Amino acid sequence: MLRFLTPYLFVAPLVLFMAVFTYGPILMSLDLSVRDWDFLSPEMPFVGLDNYRGLLASREFWNSLQVTTVFAVLSVPIRLVLALGIATWLVREALPSRLLRGALFLPSVTSTVSIAVVFSWLFSTDYGAVNALLVGLGLGRQPWLQDPALALWVLILVNTWKQLGYDIVIYIAALQAVPQELYDAAAVDGGRRLHVFRRVTLPLVMPTTYFLLVISVIEAFQVFTIVNVMTNGGPAGATDMLVSLLYRVGFVLFDIGRGSALAVLLFVFLVTLAIVKSRIIGRRVHYEA
């Protein structure tokens, strides 16, 4: 009997942890999304789908969805292309490569709040280092975080700088797993470097690219701290992400029902997006060398 129960006892702590901290809150959010509650009232009347209807009729929701989508569409490809290019350069086991890997990975384990505060100072209009450099070059100051056309690009730059090191490390592990015999065979056949990269390297790191694509898109749709510290959703809603709207509705306006409805919509949207990516891109990924 004990032998039969042993594997279940090993996984029981993890299952209990996920039940309490993952599945429990999901079920609670589903319940709260159909209720009207302000955090303080002892009553939570059932309102059906009114919170969802209110969100879908809200201009703020559609603006946040558009801004978040643009952020993901622009930032994810930039991250993946840069990470693969730099990983290809740093894949060799030499001391300078190892030092650079550590330096590039450092932002991934640095406090996001600290990074956002430092970049807020760098891109400050009046006393920022970036504008000081532009003035030194004879160019004018730019309102980086006050111009709706520039603020989103600054956030993309900061988010890319923070997350790039993680993507590079994952790509380096994938590149090191490519059999050297394939490169030797390509060299014997006279393959050029770009041709070998396109025909050998790129297909063999596709599983890693697919993995990074999935988690990068999820991360892009959940970005919050950088936005909250650097722009707080402004100027004029140009950087108002979905999670920023969720925080404002749920924890500033204390409309827990509508905030929970937004969390459920975001969850459904990400799951749908993951399924679409799996159907379109997942089928083209080959796991055999």
Side-chain angles (χ1 to χ4, degrees), residues 37-289:
W37 191 41
D38 61 1
F39 246 140
L40 299 176
S41 174
E43 297 181 355
M44 297 185 290
F46 180 79
V47 295
L49 298 178
D50 285 356
N51 290 324
Y52 292 95
R53 293 193 191 97
L55 276 175
L56 295 176
S58 165
R59 185 178 177 183
E60 283 185 317
F61 170 75
W62 292 108
N63 176 68
S64 297
L65 180 60
Q66 179 183 354
V67 171
T68 310
T69 304
V70 170
F71 179 84
V73 168
L74 293 176
S75 67
V76 172
I78 291 173
R79 275 178 56 181
L80 296 185
V81 170
L82 279 177
L84 180 57
I86 296 173
T88 305
W89 183 49
L90 296 179
V91 70
R92 293 182 179 178
E93 289 295 342
L95 182 59
S97 296
R98 293 180 179 178
L99 293 176
L100 281 173
R101 288 180 206 168
L104 290 170
F105 186 71
L106 195 58
S108 300
V109 293
T110 303
S111 163
T112 307
V113 174
S114 303
I115 290 174
V117 170
V118 169
F119 274 94
S120 295
W121 172 77
L122 288 174
F123 285 100
S124 170
T125 303
D126 297 325
Y127 50 85
V130 176
N131 273 342
L133 178 63
L134 291 178
V135 171
L137 294 173
L139 303 173
R141 297 176 184 272
Q142 296 295 327
W144 297 104
L145 300 178
Q146 289 77 40
D147 188 339
L150 296 175
L152 189 62
W153 283 104
V154 173
L155 295 183
I156 290 172
L157 171 68
V158 176
N159 189 64
T160 301
W161 184 82
K162 174 170 172 51
Q163 302 294 341
L164 189 63
Y166 174 81
D167 298 343
I168 290 172
V169 169
I170 299 296
Y171 263 130
I172 287 175
L175 290 170
Q176 289 177 336
V178 177
Q180 183 61 37
E181 295 80 8
L182 297 179
Y183 291 121
D184 295 338
V188 170
D189 291 339
R192 295 181 179 179
R193 179 174 295 183
L194 185 60
H195 185 77
V196 172
F197 178 80
R198 189 163 62 90
R199 293 293 185 182
V200 177
T201 305
L202 211 51
L204 292 179
V205 299
M206 269 303 288
T208 303
T209 302
Y210 179 57
F211 165 73
L212 289 175
L213 175 67
V214 171
I215 64 168
S216 299
V217 170
I218 292 173
E219 187 273 333
F221 271 87
Q222 294 179 334
V223 66
F224 171 71
T225 306
I226 290 174
V227 178
N228 194 44
V229 174
M230 294 187 68
T231 64
N232 199 22
T239 61
D240 195 16
M241 308 288 180
L242 280 173
V243 180
S244 301
L245 177 62
L246 191 158
Y247 174 80
R248 192 166 61 252
V249 170
F251 299 102
V252 177
L253 302 177
F254 293 110
D255 190 346
I256 303 302
R258 189 169 291 194
S260 298
L262 180 52
V264 172
L265 286 178
L266 181 59
F267 174 76
V268 171
F269 183 75
L270 288 176
V271 170
T272 305
L273 203 58
I275 294 173
V276 170
K277 282 183 290 187
S278 172
R279 295 292 177 87
I280 296 176
I281 303 175
R283 293 178 178 177
R284 300 181 182 180
V285 177
H286 302 286
Y287 294 91
E288 298 84 11

Side-chain angles (χ1 to χ4, degrees), residues 1-23:
M1 186 65 179
L2 183 60
R3 186 175 182 180
F4 173 76
L5 291 176
T6 299
Y8 297 100
L9 293 175
F10 275 118
V11 300
L14 178 60
V15 172
L16 182 62
F17 181 87
M18 292 185 68
V20 173
F21 293 103
T22 302
Y23 300 120

